[in-house]
Amino acid sequence: MIERRIKVDLAATIDRSPAVALLGPRQVGKTTLAQEIARMRPSLYLDLESEADRARLAEPELYLAGHEDKLVILDEVHRAPNLFQILRGVIDRGRRKGLRSGRFLLLGSASIELLRQSGESLAGRISYLEMRPLDALEIPEAQIERLWARGGFPDSFLAKSDALSQRWRQDFIRTYLERDVPMLGPRIPAETLRRFWTMLAHHQAGLHNAAELARSIGVDGKTIATWLDLLVDMLLVRRLEPWHSNSGKRLVKSPRIYVRDSGLVHSLLGLATIDDILGHPVVGASWEGFVIETLIAAAPEGTQAHFYRTSAGAEIDLLLTLPGGKRWAIEIKRSLTPKVERGFHHACADLEPQRRVVIYPGREPFPLGHGIEAMPLVLLGQQLVAQH
């Protein structure tokens, strides 16, 4: 069993809020974590994909009133959107009885329906947490290469062989295309959306160019925007926005696009082993996305993540603005002998960040001059966790 870092945050949030929504992609480990929490306190678990459990909620107010003393865990809650309005009344009646926290834990495989429904119905009564795939701080450091190759979905990472891991990811992608997308989003032919998702993997870490994608697939730019919004809302794709200011410099305005799980990047491109990945042009961009996901997951709540790029070539891969305003400028290199390019120096001169770090795949930190440190991913991640 891999201890998930979010467990402590989840338990603390349940203790202070009447309802907590734990959001994350399918198969990321939400149910396993919820059942761990359930063993720590009186609880009731209902899976809303189960007909039997849905039948128990035929009269939800009556049923839930009989379990006021328990944490009620509702899995796949987006399958019963009408529940949100009812939960509001149940929570308000409980508050009048002094039941102010620990009432409901809602698990959702995507943010779309959950946020749309609960944003209106449960405002002021619900807290949100995002559960991500495993990151580099949750596993032994010696297994980082495997985590990068296979991705952070537990069943993929823990598979007995690369082939079984690849098979799991292929099935995962097919399930999303054939089942989850039609349930949560517009009707899109599965093969067309697979082409789009695969093209995003080919362009990992690239600037978003809707017109180019639209021409390649044969649709219009608005359709591309809708599909991208869908994959972002399903927590499968990250849209990293550019940093902007009133400095007068000509800044890039398009976001960078990343398929969030490196294992899915590799699977979409047919890369099953480390050797396959190292021989493919995506290797640097895939490593960059992997590092960015780990650092954003490690950063304290309220941290803003951007990239920085000017038309003159000044560039920072990841700019983290921590609560309080401190900026950490992070360059990401796949080489064991990282070299800092002129664009990073120019960007740091523009922004004057408090930390200047180059992440590389080695084990030891060392200075690179000009106030820049070369550092392993895990060490910088631990320093971000310490900022909480």
Side-chain angles (χ1 to χ4, degrees):
M1 180 69 80
I2 297 172
E3 188 73 14
R4 300 305 304 268
R5 200 169 59 251
I6 196 175
K7 181 178 176 181
V8 173
D9 285 345
L10 178 59
T13 307
I14 289 170
D15 285 338
R16 67 171 183 264
S17 180
V20 179
L22 183 63
L23 305 172
R26 183 178 291 281
Q27 300 294 324
V28 82
K30 299 185 301 297
T31 302
T32 302
L33 180 58
Q35 290 171 342
E36 280 187 60
I37 295 288
R39 288 193 284 272
M40 297 160 58
R41 62 186 74 207
S43 301
L44 172 70
Y45 174 82
L46 298 173
D47 180 0
L48 299 186
E49 289 197 325
S50 156
E51 285 190 25
D53 281 358
R54 282 203 306 274
R56 292 160 78 179
L57 288 171
E59 296 288 342
E61 292 182 72
L62 195 60
Y63 182 78
L64 294 172
H67 297 280
E68 287 184 339
D69 57 336
K70 300 183 182 72
L71 172 68
V72 178
I73 301 168
L74 299 172
D75 204 346
E76 300 296 342
V77 71
H78 51 269
R79 287 190 165 271
N82 296 334
L83 266 181
F84 287 102
Q85 194 65 42
I86 292 160
L87 291 181
R88 175 179 176 166
V90 171
I91 288 169
D92 288 349
R93 282 192 293 277
R95 278 176 163 172
R96 290 193 285 272
K97 297 178 184 177
L99 303 171
R100 297 193 163 272
S101 63
R103 301 293 311 281
F104 297 100
L105 175 57
L106 315 177
L107 310 182
S109 293
S111 64
I112 303 172
E113 291 299 323
L114 202 57
L115 292 176
R116 186 178 299 153
Q117 295 287 336
S118 63
E120 298 170 7
S121 305
L122 294 178
R125 301 165 182 83
I126 189 166
S127 297
Y128 297 98
L129 289 176
E130 181 185 336
M131 188 169 184
R132 299 172 170 92
L134 294 167
D135 64 53
L137 304 186
E138 294 178 308
I139 59 158
E141 196 167 352
Q143 296 182 13
I144 285 180
E145 290 282 290
R146 183 169 123 186
L147 180 67
W148 170 50
R150 295 184 175 189
F153 289 94
D155 288 344
S156 176
F157 174 68
L158 296 171
K160 291 182 178 178
S161 69
D162 287 341
L164 288 173
S165 173
Q166 175 79 319
R167 175 73 59 82
W168 185 92
R169 280 174 274 143
Q170 289 168 343
D171 290 344
F172 175 91
I173 290 166
R174 187 178 304 117
T175 298
Y176 260 97
L177 293 171
E178 296 177 358
R179 174 187 167 182
D180 289 21
V181 169
M183 181 179 74
L184 290 169
R187 300 289 174 181
I188 307 167
E191 196 52 45
T192 304
L193 190 59
R194 176 188 286 274
R195 281 179 60 207
F196 176 64
W197 204 354
T198 303
M199 288 178 73
L200 295 182
H202 275 291
H203 290 89
Q204 180 80 342
L207 293 174
H208 180 49
N209 187 330
E212 181 186 331
L213 290 168
R215 277 195 305 273
S216 300
I217 298 178
V219 296
D220 60 31
K222 287 183 178 178
T223 301
I224 292 295
T226 299
W227 294 354
L228 183 61
D229 286 345
L230 177 66
L231 292 177
V232 169
D233 279 342
M234 296 182 84
L235 308 173
L236 298 169
V237 167
R238 179 176 298 281
R239 193 164 31 205
L240 188 65
E241 297 293 341
W243 191 85
H244 53 85
S245 74
N246 298 320
S247 65
K249 293 189 179 293
R250 294 180 61 195
L251 301 175
V252 166
K253 295 181 180 177
S254 297
R256 273 185 170 158
I257 305 299
Y258 297 86
V259 176
R260 290 179 59 166
D261 182 72
S262 57
L264 294 184
V265 173
H266 303 149
S267 197
L268 286 162
L269 300 178
L271 310 174
T273 67
I274 282 279
D275 287 342
D276 294 340
I277 299 159
L278 294 178
H280 194 278
V282 83
V283 58
S286 168
W287 173 253
E288 181 179 318
F290 173 73
V291 169
I292 285 172
E293 287 303 315
T294 291
L295 296 180
I296 289 176
E301 186 178 354
T303 298
Q304 295 180 331
H306 299 92
F307 73 97
Y308 180 83
R309 185 169 173 180
T310 71
S311 58
E315 186 165 1
I316 295 170
D317 292 333
L318 179 64
L319 183 68
L320 295 178
T321 305
L322 276 58
K326 286 186 179 178
R327 290 191 195 125
W328 291 17
I330 300 159
E331 186 77 355
I332 301 163
K333 300 291 185 186
R334 181 61 200 164
S335 169
L336 289 171
T337 55
K339 293 181 175 61
V340 182
E341 290 158 17
R342 190 178 302 164
F344 186 70
H345 289 296
H346 289 331
C348 288
D350 292 345
L351 297 178
E352 300 181 345
Q354 279 73 24
R355 293 284 303 274
R356 305 173 187 202
V357 180
V358 175
I359 295 293
Y360 83 118
R363 296 290 180 89
E364 298 292 332
F366 59 90
L368 286 168
H370 304 285
I372 301 169
E373 313 157 81
M375 191 172 287
L377 171 60
V378 169
L379 181 57
L380 187 65
Q382 289 168 343
Q383 291 178 1
L384 280 168
V385 169
Q387 301 292 313
H388 284 243

